[in-house]
Amino acid sequence: MRISVIGAGYVGLVTGACLAKLANKVTLIDIDTHKIKSINSKASPLYEEGLDELLNQVNVEVSPDYTRTTDSEVLFICVGTPPDKDGPISLEQITEATKEISKVLKKKKDYCVVAVKSTVAPGTTEELVIPILEKSGKRTGKDFGVCFSPEFLREGKAVYDFMNPARIIIGEYDKRSGDTLLKLYRNFNAPVLRTNLRTAEMIKLASNAFLAAKISFINEIGNICKNLGIDVYEVAKGMGYDDRIGNKFLNAGIGFGGSCLPKDIQGLISKSRQIGYEPKILQEVLNLNDRQALKVIDLLKKHISLKGTTIGVLGLAFKPGTDDIRDSSALRVVQALLKEGAKVKAYDPMAVNNFKKLFPQIEYVARAEALNSDAILILTEWPEFNELDYSGKIVVDGRRVEKAREAKIYEGICW
Ligand SMILES: NC(=O)c1ccc[n+]([C@@H]2O[C@H](COP(=O)([O-])OP(=O)(O)OC[C@H]3O[C@@H](n4cnc5c(N)ncnc54)[C@H](O)[C@@H]3O)[C@@H](O)[C@H]2O)c1
């Protein structure tokens, strides 16, 4: 099929490259000149396992020119929906992209489907996207179709997840919209749920809110366990055998970050408040997560005074396998260390360049072994951190790196 993908970030670039690999003709649109240059020279502007190789196998070009989307049968909207400060999901990028698509629709002769993949609050596709598209003078359901098809890929495993989805959710304006989109997924071996637009939007937000709640839940149990001398990892293992609970997302630690969980749960809270319902569980999931990251500072202060002391930080990305630092716990922890007057030396195998843009004042080392410091905080569970020599060190571990237990003084965040 002829596909356009608007927004060549984590989701859009992976979607575009994977759909091209599946023999579709893909046009990518983005407005970021740095990204455009990088992708067109076959280098992914972001670190994602297998993406560089994929870009070299397929024929995808990116440009800011929306007229290149005129012959597309499906146009995916994959632009960012970042958080508005502690509030609803920002709809600025989606509004701008939809306005451009509307101009294209005006000139289009054939039926096409506009499929929103960006995560938005329930009602957004009907109340914002469709009215802008109809400014083209064309009618939804007659001249074009609309779907909301959420993306569930995990950063770090995005290419694998796109090609091997656990489920395909299609929120459809009408049957024809859903039928058209489904043609793209005909060779995927995954359950398909077809539903209406706002239900699909809610499925995405509720899924992320549930995952976040699972993490905050086990962190709370971990905080209790630490004080009772119980190993929360044993507890989680015992719980996980129950398939109503499952053993995933039960790794107690420093909490969740990234571009999705915190802002999606905040977006759901905002939507809920708009309709007059106070979502107490969801709010406490976020509150606990905010407190959890800073616990490593309190634990460190039990062993060393921070003023003027050099603290080594292992891990800056919000999780291993990515260079993404959006809402990473490391941001809050480094900020707090600097506030306490500590000197910070940091190492991450992938995320240093991104972190440097926000914290140019700290020192970065090129190898974890070069992190000579008075104490070490482990903030991301990169596998290589389990190979380091921690003997003689003070270590506060936010991620359960077993090897770090050999440290002179070892404190797990909740074990
Ligand atoms: N990152 C994830 O793991 C993930 C997973 C599932 C869903 N999502 C959702 O997918 C959406 C995209 O996330 P992302 O992480 O890929 O974001 P991103 O910020 O990495 O990428 C967004 C891209 O859109 C481009 N853009 C902005 N305005 C544009 C416009 N008017 N026209 C064309 N391009 C424009 C930006 O330059 C950027 O390259 C978000 O709604 C996010 O919540 C993300």
PDB file of all heavy atoms in Angstrom, residues 6-12 29-32 35 66 78-81 93 96-97 117-119 151-153 155 204 259-260 263-264 326, ligand 1:
ATOM      1  N   ILE A   6       3.520  10.773   9.301  1.00  0.00           N
ATOM      2  CA  ILE A   6       3.796  12.157   9.665  1.00  0.00           C
ATOM      3  C   ILE A   6       4.449  12.158  11.049  1.00  0.00           C
ATOM      4  O   ILE A   6       3.826  11.732  12.029  1.00  0.00           O
ATOM      5  CB  ILE A   6       2.497  13.011   9.727  1.00  0.00           C
ATOM      6  CG1 ILE A   6       1.555  12.679   8.570  1.00  0.00           C
ATOM      7  CG2 ILE A   6       2.828  14.487   9.828  1.00  0.00           C
ATOM      8  CD1 ILE A   6       2.072  12.933   7.195  1.00  0.00           C
ATOM      9  N   GLY A   7       5.694  12.642  11.118  1.00  0.00           N
ATOM     10  CA  GLY A   7       6.447  12.625  12.373  1.00  0.00           C
ATOM     11  C   GLY A   7       7.394  11.437  12.364  1.00  0.00           C
ATOM     12  O   GLY A   7       6.959  10.281  12.445  1.00  0.00           O
ATOM     13  N   ALA A   8       8.697  11.713  12.219  1.00  0.00           N
ATOM     14  CA  ALA A   8       9.680  10.617  12.114  1.00  0.00           C
ATOM     15  C   ALA A   8      10.481  10.500  13.408  1.00  0.00           C
ATOM     16  O   ALA A   8      11.707  10.480  13.398  1.00  0.00           O
ATOM     17  CB  ALA A   8      10.593  10.847  10.918  1.00  0.00           C
ATOM     18  N   GLY A   9       9.777  10.439  14.533  1.00  0.00           N
ATOM     19  CA  GLY A   9      10.443  10.223  15.828  1.00  0.00           C
ATOM     20  C   GLY A   9      10.512   8.735  16.123  1.00  0.00           C
ATOM     21  O   GLY A   9      10.532   7.906  15.204  1.00  0.00           O
ATOM     22  N   TYR A  10      10.522   8.355  17.387  1.00  0.00           N
ATOM     23  CA  TYR A  10      10.634   6.942  17.776  1.00  0.00           C
ATOM     24  C   TYR A  10       9.536   6.119  17.102  1.00  0.00           C
ATOM     25  O   TYR A  10       9.805   5.089  16.474  1.00  0.00           O
ATOM     26  CB  TYR A  10      10.528   6.787  19.297  1.00  0.00           C
ATOM     27  CG  TYR A  10      11.785   7.198  20.007  1.00  0.00           C
ATOM     28  CD1 TYR A  10      12.040   8.518  20.323  1.00  0.00           C
ATOM     29  CD2 TYR A  10      12.745   6.248  20.346  1.00  0.00           C
ATOM     30  CE1 TYR A  10      13.210   8.900  20.952  1.00  0.00           C
ATOM     31  CE2 TYR A  10      13.915   6.619  20.971  1.00  0.00           C
ATOM     32  CZ  TYR A  10      14.140   7.951  21.275  1.00  0.00           C
ATOM     33  OH  TYR A  10      15.302   8.310  21.889  1.00  0.00           O
ATOM     34  N   VAL A  11       8.299   6.575  17.224  1.00  0.00           N
ATOM     35  CA  VAL A  11       7.182   5.792  16.701  1.00  0.00           C
ATOM     36  C   VAL A  11       7.111   5.887  15.173  1.00  0.00           C
ATOM     37  O   VAL A  11       7.013   4.884  14.477  1.00  0.00           O
ATOM     38  CB  VAL A  11       5.855   6.265  17.347  1.00  0.00           C
ATOM     39  CG1 VAL A  11       4.653   5.661  16.650  1.00  0.00           C
ATOM     40  CG2 VAL A  11       5.848   5.892  18.819  1.00  0.00           C
ATOM     41  N   GLY A  12       7.198   7.115  14.654  1.00  0.00           N
ATOM     42  CA  GLY A  12       7.027   7.316  13.211  1.00  0.00           C
ATOM     43  C   GLY A  12       8.132   6.678  12.392  1.00  0.00           C
ATOM     44  O   GLY A  12       7.867   6.024  11.371  1.00  0.00           O
ATOM     45  N   ILE A  29       7.237  12.275   6.662  1.00  0.00           N
ATOM     46  CA  ILE A  29       7.213  13.738   6.742  1.00  0.00           C
ATOM     47  C   ILE A  29       7.690  14.154   8.138  1.00  0.00           C
ATOM     48  O   ILE A  29       7.208  13.620   9.140  1.00  0.00           O
ATOM     49  CB  ILE A  29       5.767  14.286   6.546  1.00  0.00           C
ATOM     50  CG1 ILE A  29       5.174  13.826   5.199  1.00  0.00           C
ATOM     51  CG2 ILE A  29       5.737  15.805   6.682  1.00  0.00           C
ATOM     52  CD1 ILE A  29       5.820  14.404   3.974  1.00  0.00           C
ATOM     53  N   ASP A  30       8.631  15.086   8.186  1.00  0.00           N
ATOM     54  CA  ASP A  30       9.025  15.655   9.472  1.00  0.00           C
ATOM     55  C   ASP A  30       9.472  17.092   9.227  1.00  0.00           C
ATOM     56  O   ASP A  30       9.757  17.473   8.089  1.00  0.00           O
ATOM     57  CB  ASP A  30      10.145  14.847  10.149  1.00  0.00           C
ATOM     58  CG  ASP A  30      10.128  15.003  11.662  1.00  0.00           C
ATOM     59  OD1 ASP A  30      10.427  16.125  12.149  1.00  0.00           O
ATOM     60  OD2 ASP A  30       9.789  14.045  12.380  1.00  0.00           O
ATOM     61  N   ILE A  31       9.512  17.887  10.308  1.00  0.00           N
ATOM     62  CA  ILE A  31       9.885  19.290  10.144  1.00  0.00           C
ATOM     63  C   ILE A  31      11.243  19.587  10.780  1.00  0.00           C
ATOM     64  O   ILE A  31      11.715  20.712  10.728  1.00  0.00           O
ATOM     65  CB  ILE A  31       8.807  20.221  10.765  1.00  0.00           C
ATOM     66  CG1 ILE A  31       8.486  19.778  12.196  1.00  0.00           C
ATOM     67  CG2 ILE A  31       7.553  20.231   9.919  1.00  0.00           C
ATOM     68  CD1 ILE A  31       7.586  20.733  12.947  1.00  0.00           C
ATOM     69  N   ASP A  32      11.870  18.564  11.362  1.00  0.00           N
ATOM     70  CA  ASP A  32      13.137  18.760  12.068  1.00  0.00           C
ATOM     71  C   ASP A  32      14.293  18.525  11.076  1.00  0.00           C
ATOM     72  O   ASP A  32      14.516  17.395  10.638  1.00  0.00           O
ATOM     73  CB  ASP A  32      13.173  17.756  13.234  1.00  0.00           C
ATOM     74  CG  ASP A  32      14.451  17.832  14.049  1.00  0.00           C
ATOM     75  OD1 ASP A  32      15.516  18.101  13.455  1.00  0.00           O
ATOM     76  OD2 ASP A  32      14.384  17.600  15.263  1.00  0.00           O
ATOM     77  N   LYS A  35      16.895  15.807  11.879  1.00  0.00           N
ATOM     78  CA  LYS A  35      16.394  14.437  11.676  1.00  0.00           C
ATOM     79  C   LYS A  35      16.321  14.096  10.194  1.00  0.00           C
ATOM     80  O   LYS A  35      16.682  12.997   9.773  1.00  0.00           O
ATOM     81  CB  LYS A  35      14.985  14.297  12.271  1.00  0.00           C
ATOM     82  CG  LYS A  35      15.034  13.964  13.728  1.00  0.00           C
ATOM     83  CD  LYS A  35      13.676  13.603  14.281  1.00  0.00           C
ATOM     84  CE  LYS A  35      13.820  13.467  15.784  1.00  0.00           C
ATOM     85  NZ  LYS A  35      12.619  13.591  16.518  1.00  0.00           N
ATOM     86  N   TYR A  66       4.459  18.163   2.631  1.00  0.00           N
ATOM     87  CA  TYR A  66       3.248  17.349   2.757  1.00  0.00           C
ATOM     88  C   TYR A  66       2.622  16.987   1.409  1.00  0.00           C
ATOM     89  O   TYR A  66       1.836  16.042   1.330  1.00  0.00           O
ATOM     90  CB  TYR A  66       2.202  18.086   3.610  1.00  0.00           C
ATOM     91  CG  TYR A  66       2.375  17.921   5.100  1.00  0.00           C
ATOM     92  CD1 TYR A  66       3.341  18.641   5.789  1.00  0.00           C
ATOM     93  CD2 TYR A  66       1.562  17.057   5.823  1.00  0.00           C
ATOM     94  CE1 TYR A  66       3.495  18.506   7.165  1.00  0.00           C
ATOM     95  CE2 TYR A  66       1.704  16.913   7.196  1.00  0.00           C
ATOM     96  CZ  TYR A  66       2.669  17.636   7.864  1.00  0.00           C
ATOM     97  OH  TYR A  66       2.811  17.488   9.219  1.00  0.00           O
ATOM     98  N   CYS A  78       1.989  10.493  13.627  1.00  0.00           N
ATOM     99  CA  CYS A  78       2.862   9.977  14.707  1.00  0.00           C
ATOM    100  C   CYS A  78       3.654  11.111  15.356  1.00  0.00           C
ATOM    101  O   CYS A  78       4.768  10.901  15.835  1.00  0.00           O
ATOM    102  CB  CYS A  78       3.851   8.953  14.153  1.00  0.00           C
ATOM    103  SG  CYS A  78       3.083   7.520  13.419  1.00  0.00           S
ATOM    104  N   VAL A  79       3.121  12.315  15.330  1.00  0.00           N
ATOM    105  CA  VAL A  79       3.857  13.446  15.923  1.00  0.00           C
ATOM    106  C   VAL A  79       3.807  13.344  17.449  1.00  0.00           C
ATOM    107  O   VAL A  79       3.029  12.563  18.018  1.00  0.00           O
ATOM    108  CB  VAL A  79       3.276  14.799  15.446  1.00  0.00           C
ATOM    109  CG1 VAL A  79       3.489  14.966  13.950  1.00  0.00           C
ATOM    110  CG2 VAL A  79       1.806  14.925  15.809  1.00  0.00           C
ATOM    111  N   GLY A  80       4.604  14.145  18.108  1.00  0.00           N
ATOM    112  CA  GLY A  80       4.696  14.079  19.567  1.00  0.00           C
ATOM    113  C   GLY A  80       3.463  14.672  20.240  1.00  0.00           C
ATOM    114  O   GLY A  80       2.827  15.589  19.719  1.00  0.00           O
ATOM    115  N   THR A  81       3.129  14.122  21.396  1.00  0.00           N
ATOM    116  CA  THR A  81       2.077  14.706  22.243  1.00  0.00           C
ATOM    117  C   THR A  81       2.682  14.845  23.645  1.00  0.00           C
ATOM    118  O   THR A  81       2.299  14.108  24.561  1.00  0.00           O
ATOM    119  CB  THR A  81       0.810  13.812  22.265  1.00  0.00           C
ATOM    120  OG1 THR A  81       1.215  12.448  22.512  1.00  0.00           O
ATOM    121  CG2 THR A  81       0.051  13.878  20.975  1.00  0.00           C
ATOM    122  N   GLN A  93       1.340  19.815  18.272  1.00  0.00           N
ATOM    123  CA  GLN A  93       1.923  19.174  17.081  1.00  0.00           C
ATOM    124  C   GLN A  93       0.846  18.465  16.270  1.00  0.00           C
ATOM    125  O   GLN A  93       0.855  18.486  15.043  1.00  0.00           O
ATOM    126  CB  GLN A  93       3.002  18.153  17.481  1.00  0.00           C
ATOM    127  CG  GLN A  93       4.221  18.788  18.130  1.00  0.00           C
ATOM    128  CD  GLN A  93       5.299  17.756  18.472  1.00  0.00           C
ATOM    129  OE1 GLN A  93       5.425  16.731  17.835  1.00  0.00           O
ATOM    130  NE2 GLN A  93       6.084  18.053  19.495  1.00  0.00           N
ATOM    131  N   GLU A  96      -1.145  21.041  14.266  1.00  0.00           N
ATOM    132  CA  GLU A  96      -0.403  21.535  13.097  1.00  0.00           C
ATOM    133  C   GLU A  96      -0.347  20.480  11.999  1.00  0.00           C
ATOM    134  O   GLU A  96      -0.583  20.776  10.826  1.00  0.00           O
ATOM    135  CB  GLU A  96       1.030  21.930  13.495  1.00  0.00           C
ATOM    136  CG  GLU A  96       1.123  23.220  14.289  1.00  0.00           C
ATOM    137  CD  GLU A  96       0.305  24.349  13.668  1.00  0.00           C
ATOM    138  OE1 GLU A  96       0.505  24.629  12.472  1.00  0.00           O
ATOM    139  OE2 GLU A  96      -0.555  24.932  14.374  1.00  0.00           O
ATOM    140  N   ALA A  97      -0.025  19.242  12.366  1.00  0.00           N
ATOM    141  CA  ALA A  97       0.090  18.178  11.366  1.00  0.00           C
ATOM    142  C   ALA A  97      -1.264  17.931  10.691  1.00  0.00           C
ATOM    143  O   ALA A  97      -1.340  17.754   9.467  1.00  0.00           O
ATOM    144  CB  ALA A  97       0.597  16.896  12.026  1.00  0.00           C
ATOM    145  N   LYS A 117      -1.798   7.705  15.446  1.00  0.00           N
ATOM    146  CA  LYS A 117      -1.050   6.771  16.296  1.00  0.00           C
ATOM    147  C   LYS A 117      -0.550   7.487  17.555  1.00  0.00           C
ATOM    148  O   LYS A 117      -0.251   6.842  18.555  1.00  0.00           O
ATOM    149  CB  LYS A 117       0.161   6.228  15.531  1.00  0.00           C
ATOM    150  CG  LYS A 117      -0.037   4.806  15.057  1.00  0.00           C
ATOM    151  CD  LYS A 117       1.275   4.199  14.624  1.00  0.00           C
ATOM    152  CE  LYS A 117       1.083   2.826  14.049  1.00  0.00           C
ATOM    153  NZ  LYS A 117       0.407   1.893  14.961  1.00  0.00           N
ATOM    154  N   SER A 118      -0.415   8.816  17.462  1.00  0.00           N
ATOM    155  CA  SER A 118       0.021   9.572  18.636  1.00  0.00           C
ATOM    156  C   SER A 118      -0.956   9.317  19.776  1.00  0.00           C
ATOM    157  O   SER A 118      -2.164   9.192  19.548  1.00  0.00           O
ATOM    158  CB  SER A 118       0.018  11.071  18.333  1.00  0.00           C
ATOM    159  OG  SER A 118       0.841  11.352  17.231  1.00  0.00           O
ATOM    160  N   THR A 119      -0.432   9.258  20.988  1.00  0.00           N
ATOM    161  CA  THR A 119      -1.301   8.993  22.145  1.00  0.00           C
ATOM    162  C   THR A 119      -2.058  10.265  22.531  1.00  0.00           C
ATOM    163  O   THR A 119      -1.438  11.313  22.756  1.00  0.00           O
ATOM    164  CB  THR A 119      -0.435   8.532  23.337  1.00  0.00           C
ATOM    165  OG1 THR A 119       0.333   7.401  22.921  1.00  0.00           O
ATOM    166  CG2 THR A 119      -1.288   8.172  24.526  1.00  0.00           C
ATOM    167  N   GLU A 151      -0.109   2.826  19.418  1.00  0.00           N
ATOM    168  CA  GLU A 151       1.150   2.093  19.277  1.00  0.00           C
ATOM    169  C   GLU A 151       1.586   1.631  20.666  1.00  0.00           C
ATOM    170  O   GLU A 151       1.556   2.397  21.609  1.00  0.00           O
ATOM    171  CB  GLU A 151       2.204   3.023  18.652  1.00  0.00           C
ATOM    172  CG  GLU A 151       3.523   2.363  18.385  1.00  0.00           C
ATOM    173  CD  GLU A 151       3.356   1.067  17.597  1.00  0.00           C
ATOM    174  OE1 GLU A 151       2.915   1.106  16.457  1.00  0.00           O
ATOM    175  OE2 GLU A 151       3.667  -0.011  18.163  1.00  0.00           O
ATOM    176  N   PHE A 152       2.014   0.369  20.759  1.00  0.00           N
ATOM    177  CA  PHE A 152       2.414  -0.166  22.068  1.00  0.00           C
ATOM    178  C   PHE A 152       3.887  -0.527  22.117  1.00  0.00           C
ATOM    179  O   PHE A 152       4.316  -1.229  23.019  1.00  0.00           O
ATOM    180  CB  PHE A 152       1.572  -1.407  22.404  1.00  0.00           C
ATOM    181  CG  PHE A 152       0.104  -1.107  22.551  1.00  0.00           C
ATOM    182  CD1 PHE A 152      -0.783  -1.391  21.522  1.00  0.00           C
ATOM    183  CD2 PHE A 152      -0.388  -0.519  23.701  1.00  0.00           C
ATOM    184  CE1 PHE A 152      -2.133  -1.102  21.648  1.00  0.00           C
ATOM    185  CE2 PHE A 152      -1.738  -0.226  23.840  1.00  0.00           C
ATOM    186  CZ  PHE A 152      -2.611  -0.520  22.811  1.00  0.00           C
ATOM    187  N   LEU A 153       4.665  -0.086  21.115  1.00  0.00           N
ATOM    188  CA  LEU A 153       6.068  -0.528  21.095  1.00  0.00           C
ATOM    189  C   LEU A 153       6.844  -0.023  22.308  1.00  0.00           C
ATOM    190  O   LEU A 153       6.533   1.031  22.876  1.00  0.00           O
ATOM    191  CB  LEU A 153       6.758  -0.105  19.796  1.00  0.00           C
ATOM    192  CG  LEU A 153       6.743   1.363  19.363  1.00  0.00           C
ATOM    193  CD1 LEU A 153       7.724   2.185  20.142  1.00  0.00           C
ATOM    194  CD2 LEU A 153       7.042   1.427  17.875  1.00  0.00           C
ATOM    195  N   GLU A 155      10.416   1.312  23.692  1.00  0.00           N
ATOM    196  CA  GLU A 155      11.697   1.837  23.219  1.00  0.00           C
ATOM    197  C   GLU A 155      12.791   0.852  23.573  1.00  0.00           C
ATOM    198  O   GLU A 155      12.777   0.243  24.639  1.00  0.00           O
ATOM    199  CB  GLU A 155      11.978   3.204  23.840  1.00  0.00           C
ATOM    200  CG  GLU A 155      11.209   4.295  23.122  1.00  0.00           C
ATOM    201  CD  GLU A 155      11.463   5.676  23.681  1.00  0.00           C
ATOM    202  OE1 GLU A 155      12.564   5.935  24.208  1.00  0.00           O
ATOM    203  OE2 GLU A 155      10.539   6.503  23.595  1.00  0.00           O
ATOM    204  N   LYS A 204      -5.264   2.728  25.089  1.00  0.00           N
ATOM    205  CA  LYS A 204      -3.837   3.086  25.161  1.00  0.00           C
ATOM    206  C   LYS A 204      -3.514   3.728  26.521  1.00  0.00           C
ATOM    207  O   LYS A 204      -2.560   3.336  27.203  1.00  0.00           O
ATOM    208  CB  LYS A 204      -3.501   4.046  24.009  1.00  0.00           C
ATOM    209  CG  LYS A 204      -2.109   4.640  24.065  1.00  0.00           C
ATOM    210  CD  LYS A 204      -1.012   3.599  23.920  1.00  0.00           C
ATOM    211  CE  LYS A 204       0.344   4.188  24.218  1.00  0.00           C
ATOM    212  NZ  LYS A 204       1.423   3.236  24.221  1.00  0.00           N
ATOM    213  N   SER A 259       9.103   8.840  27.892  1.00  0.00           N
ATOM    214  CA  SER A 259       8.221   9.847  27.291  1.00  0.00           C
ATOM    215  C   SER A 259       6.757   9.438  27.391  1.00  0.00           C
ATOM    216  O   SER A 259       5.888  10.212  27.026  1.00  0.00           O
ATOM    217  CB  SER A 259       8.582  10.011  25.821  1.00  0.00           C
ATOM    218  OG  SER A 259       8.271   8.821  25.125  1.00  0.00           O
ATOM    219  N   CYS A 260       6.484   8.207  27.849  1.00  0.00           N
ATOM    220  CA  CYS A 260       5.086   7.749  27.777  1.00  0.00           C
ATOM    221  C   CYS A 260       4.380   7.625  29.125  1.00  0.00           C
ATOM    222  O   CYS A 260       3.384   8.298  29.366  1.00  0.00           O
ATOM    223  CB  CYS A 260       5.028   6.414  27.053  1.00  0.00           C
ATOM    224  SG  CYS A 260       5.407   6.596  25.312  1.00  0.00           S
ATOM    225  N   LYS A 263       3.643  10.935  31.259  1.00  0.00           N
ATOM    226  CA  LYS A 263       2.742  11.919  30.634  1.00  0.00           C
ATOM    227  C   LYS A 263       1.386  11.312  30.267  1.00  0.00           C
ATOM    228  O   LYS A 263       0.373  11.995  30.306  1.00  0.00           O
ATOM    229  CB  LYS A 263       3.406  12.608  29.451  1.00  0.00           C
ATOM    230  CG  LYS A 263       3.545  11.794  28.196  1.00  0.00           C
ATOM    231  CD  LYS A 263       2.721  12.267  27.046  1.00  0.00           C
ATOM    232  CE  LYS A 263       3.181  11.481  25.835  1.00  0.00           C
ATOM    233  NZ  LYS A 263       2.226  10.973  24.990  1.00  0.00           N
ATOM    234  N   ASP A 264       1.355  10.017  29.980  1.00  0.00           N
ATOM    235  CA  ASP A 264       0.055   9.419  29.652  1.00  0.00           C
ATOM    236  C   ASP A 264      -0.829   9.337  30.890  1.00  0.00           C
ATOM    237  O   ASP A 264      -2.028   9.614  30.838  1.00  0.00           O
ATOM    238  CB  ASP A 264       0.235   8.021  29.037  1.00  0.00           C
ATOM    239  CG  ASP A 264       0.842   8.100  27.632  1.00  0.00           C
ATOM    240  OD1 ASP A 264       1.009   9.233  27.125  1.00  0.00           O
ATOM    241  OD2 ASP A 264       1.146   7.047  27.052  1.00  0.00           O
ATOM    242  N   ARG A 326      13.958  11.325  28.254  1.00  0.00           N
ATOM    243  CA  ARG A 326      12.762  12.079  28.611  1.00  0.00           C
ATOM    244  C   ARG A 326      12.164  11.518  29.908  1.00  0.00           C
ATOM    245  O   ARG A 326      11.917  10.333  30.023  1.00  0.00           O
ATOM    246  CB  ARG A 326      11.740  12.018  27.461  1.00  0.00           C
ATOM    247  CG  ARG A 326      12.209  12.793  26.242  1.00  0.00           C
ATOM    248  CD  ARG A 326      11.223  12.703  25.100  1.00  0.00           C
ATOM    249  NE  ARG A 326      11.249  11.429  24.431  1.00  0.00           N
ATOM    250  CZ  ARG A 326      10.509  11.131  23.348  1.00  0.00           C
ATOM    251  NH1 ARG A 326       9.700  12.038  22.855  1.00  0.00           N
ATOM    252  NH2 ARG A 326      10.586   9.952  22.786  1.00  0.00           N
TER     253      ARG A 326
HETATM  254  N1  LIG B   1       8.179   6.658  22.248  1.00  0.00           N
HETATM  255  C1  LIG B   1       7.435   5.611  22.525  1.00  0.00           C
HETATM  256  O1  LIG B   1       7.905   4.573  23.014  1.00  0.00           O
HETATM  257  C2  LIG B   1       5.960   5.621  22.216  1.00  0.00           C
HETATM  258  C3  LIG B   1       5.241   4.416  22.294  1.00  0.00           C
HETATM  259  C4  LIG B   1       3.884   4.438  21.997  1.00  0.00           C
HETATM  260  C5  LIG B   1       3.256   5.631  21.671  1.00  0.00           C
HETATM  261  N2  LIG B   1       3.975   6.790  21.645  1.00  0.00           N
HETATM  262  C6  LIG B   1       3.277   8.023  21.254  1.00  0.00           C
HETATM  263  O2  LIG B   1       3.588   8.280  19.882  1.00  0.00           O
HETATM  264  C7  LIG B   1       3.696   9.696  19.657  1.00  0.00           C
HETATM  265  C8  LIG B   1       5.067  10.017  19.106  1.00  0.00           C
HETATM  266  O3  LIG B   1       6.042   9.697  20.091  1.00  0.00           O
HETATM  267  P1  LIG B   1       7.596   9.731  19.772  1.00  0.00           P
HETATM  268  O4  LIG B   1       8.284   9.243  20.974  1.00  0.00           O
HETATM  269  O5  LIG B   1       7.811   9.091  18.454  1.00  0.00           O
HETATM  270  O6  LIG B   1       7.808  11.328  19.629  1.00  0.00           O
HETATM  271  P2  LIG B   1       9.081  12.094  19.053  1.00  0.00           P
HETATM  272  O7  LIG B   1       9.093  13.408  19.715  1.00  0.00           O
HETATM  273  O8  LIG B   1      10.270  11.198  19.081  1.00  0.00           O
HETATM  274  O9  LIG B   1       8.705  12.287  17.498  1.00  0.00           O
HETATM  275  C9  LIG B   1       7.758  13.191  17.033  1.00  0.00           C
HETATM  276  C10 LIG B   1       8.221  13.712  15.677  1.00  0.00           C
HETATM  277  O10 LIG B   1       7.205  14.525  15.105  1.00  0.00           O
HETATM  278  C11 LIG B   1       7.831  15.601  14.422  1.00  0.00           C
HETATM  279  N3  LIG B   1       6.853  16.676  14.208  1.00  0.00           N
HETATM  280  C12 LIG B   1       6.396  17.582  15.101  1.00  0.00           C
HETATM  281  N4  LIG B   1       5.500  18.396  14.521  1.00  0.00           N
HETATM  282  C13 LIG B   1       5.377  17.976  13.235  1.00  0.00           C
HETATM  283  C14 LIG B   1       4.590  18.408  12.130  1.00  0.00           C
HETATM  284  N5  LIG B   1       3.740  19.434  12.227  1.00  0.00           N
HETATM  285  N6  LIG B   1       4.728  17.769  10.951  1.00  0.00           N
HETATM  286  C15 LIG B   1       5.590  16.724  10.824  1.00  0.00           C
HETATM  287  N7  LIG B   1       6.350  16.273  11.841  1.00  0.00           N
HETATM  288  C16 LIG B   1       6.252  16.901  13.030  1.00  0.00           C
HETATM  289  C17 LIG B   1       8.981  15.974  15.328  1.00  0.00           C
HETATM  290  O11 LIG B   1       9.967  16.724  14.643  1.00  0.00           O
HETATM  291  C18 LIG B   1       9.479  14.588  15.773  1.00  0.00           C
HETATM  292  O12 LIG B   1      10.471  14.088  14.909  1.00  0.00           O
HETATM  293  C19 LIG B   1       3.398  10.346  21.007  1.00  0.00           C
HETATM  294  O13 LIG B   1       2.041  10.647  21.061  1.00  0.00           O
HETATM  295  C20 LIG B   1       3.733   9.259  22.001  1.00  0.00           C
HETATM  296  O14 LIG B   1       3.032   9.410  23.196  1.00  0.00           O
HETATM  297  C21 LIG B   1       5.322   6.801  21.885  1.00  0.00           C
END
